[in-house]
Amino acid sequence: LVEEMLSDVGEDLEHRHFSGEDTLDLERYEDFAAEVEGRFDLEFDLEQISDPDHWSPALFREEAQQRLQASYAENRDAVDLELRVEAARQVLLATIDELWTEHLTVLEQVDEAIGLRSYAERDPLVEFRREGGLLFHDLLREIRLSAMGGLLAFLRQAQAELDAALEAEARE
């Protein structure tokens, strides 16, 4: 499950920052890099990613996926498999719980706003289904991004604690 989520996270980031835009400016790439750095605590220096003339959403997606997979591989062995599975489960459940509650609140707001569209002779049920579907796909993307960020933070902390314990043991 974690490996599948890792591959989806790059696509989710690409969709969030580059989807539906004909022109891609430096600000979009900077926002992408800032989210990778902030959400996953990974260095994503734009100057280290090839020549700006060759930048593309696909290149950034692949770069983000490689860095996420490397971070996961680097830190996963600090925790045995059973604990890692339990941690992933807890992080995922907590993330779903929080984001689902927010999603329901947003759907209530959409429901209220949809009523106004009936004045424009649009079918409110069709409009709600369309908006709700888009919001649900956004919810799924955010669950993957947030859960992976939480799991990587947990694994990094576990690795840091293991390194500190090994260092203290070596000093003794």
Side-chain angles (χ1 to χ4, degrees), residues 8-47:
D8 290 344
V9 163
E11 292 173 13
D12 293 337
L13 288 166
E14 179 182 15
H15 182 271
R16 173 177 285 178
H17 293 280
F18 304 116
S19 179
E21 295 298 322
D22 293 336
T23 58
L24 300 174
D25 55 12
L26 179 61
E27 186 176 333
R28 291 191 174 281
Y29 290 107
E30 289 172 341
D31 290 347
F32 184 100
E35 183 168 4
V36 170
E37 289 179 347
R39 187 182 289 264
F40 304 109
D41 195 26
L42 295 174
E43 184 177 325
F44 206 90
D45 186 359
L46 295 178
E47 293 174 7

Side-chain angles (χ1 to χ4, degrees), residues 55-95:
W55 284 357
S56 70
L59 174 68
F60 272 56
R61 178 192 68 231
E62 291 168 12
E63 188 70 29
Q65 285 175 320
Q66 288 173 0
R67 291 174 191 221
L68 286 164
Q69 289 169 343
S71 177
Y72 178 72
E74 180 182 318
N75 295 296
R76 74 172 167 229
D77 294 334
V79 178
D80 70 351
L81 179 61
E82 188 176 316
L83 181 58
R84 198 167 58 236
V85 168
E86 181 61 23
R89 189 176 79 74
Q90 291 294 325
V91 167
L92 189 56
L93 285 173
T95 301

Side-chain angles (χ1 to χ4, degrees), residues 121-139:
E121 297 184 15
R122 293 182 178 169
D123 184 348
L125 184 57
V126 170
E127 289 293 307
F128 185 79
R129 284 183 180 160
R130 187 182 65 75
E131 290 282 330
L134 294 172
L135 289 169
F136 185 72
H137 287 291
D138 289 345
L139 169 69

